Amino acid sequence: MSDKATEGLAKAREERSLRKRRAVEEAIATLKERNEAITFKDIATLAGVSRQYLYNNFKESISAERDNARSSASEIDGVTVPSRTSEEYRHIESVLRNKVDRLKQELSSVRKENARLQQELEKERGRSEHFRKNWINASTRQQ
């Protein structure tokens, strides 16, 4: 092969390599934006490259991203939940279900207290009406 043909092949290979590299970087950024777990499989799917390509060329940087994501956490209703892990959604769902259960119990007790107070209010209205009628009767007799 001539030097010109070899140069053309080398240039095409570099361009393809650059496109793959950019696709991988965009895939990582997309996963971060979506607050999703960073996995080799997800990155390979989004970038349109093989996992082997990722392991050969990006193993350290993707592993570092995964470690950073795993070490981050969010606090929800006083409970610390790991962020960007495959378990994140289960943790969040569990925390929110517990919170909903607590709120249902609280609502139930508030409704019972409200019903009790309504009954007391009706009793007091009845007493008040009784005293009002007695006062009217007493004031009309004096005249």
Side-chain angles (χ1 to χ4, degrees):
M1 270 195 193
S2 70
D3 286 338
K4 191 173 183 181
T6 308
E7 287 177 23
L9 289 174
K11 185 176 179 182
R13 188 175 32 236
E14 286 178 31
E15 288 176 4
R16 187 176 70 227
S17 178
L18 184 60
R19 280 195 307 271
K20 282 183 177 182
R21 187 169 291 280
R22 285 186 182 149
V24 169
E25 291 168 354
E26 288 174 13
I28 292 170
T30 300
L31 290 172
K32 282 182 176 180
E33 278 180 24
R34 294 180 188 167
N35 203 25
E36 293 182 11
I38 297 174
T39 64
F40 283 91
K41 181 181 177 185
D42 291 339
I43 294 170
T45 302
L46 281 173
V49 298
S50 69
R51 281 190 256 176
Q52 189 60 48
Y53 174 79
L54 294 176
Y55 285 113
N56 290 342
N57 297 291
F58 292 94
K59 185 176 181 180
E60 292 81 23
S61 61
I62 291 175
S63 294
E65 287 290 341
R66 290 172 70 190
D67 292 342
N68 287 340
R70 285 181 178 155
S71 66
S72 65
S74 303
E75 189 166 320
I76 299 173
D77 193 32
V79 176
T80 302
V81 178
S83 297
R84 291 192 191 138
T85 65
S86 58
E87 299 294 313
E88 173 187 19
Y89 299 106
R90 287 187 217 146
H91 288 293
I92 291 171
E93 182 180 354
S94 175
V95 167
L96 292 176
R97 282 186 192 279
N98 290 339
K99 184 174 184 174
V100 167
D101 289 342
R102 280 195 320 272
L103 290 173
K104 282 180 181 178
Q105 290 173 352
E106 185 179 325
L107 179 61
S108 175
S109 65
V110 167
R111 284 182 174 163
K112 286 177 185 175
E113 177 69 11
N114 189 25
R116 186 186 66 74
L117 290 172
Q118 288 288 340
Q119 286 178 342
E120 281 187 30
L121 178 63
E122 287 303 316
K123 285 180 186 177
E124 291 301 319
R125 282 184 181 157
R127 287 185 189 137
S128 169
E129 184 62 23
H130 173 74
F131 288 127
R132 189 181 70 79
K133 285 182 181 178
N134 286 344
W135 184 79
I136 289 174
N137 285 341
S139 64
T140 55
R141 285 188 200 149
Q142 288 177 358
Q143 290 178 353

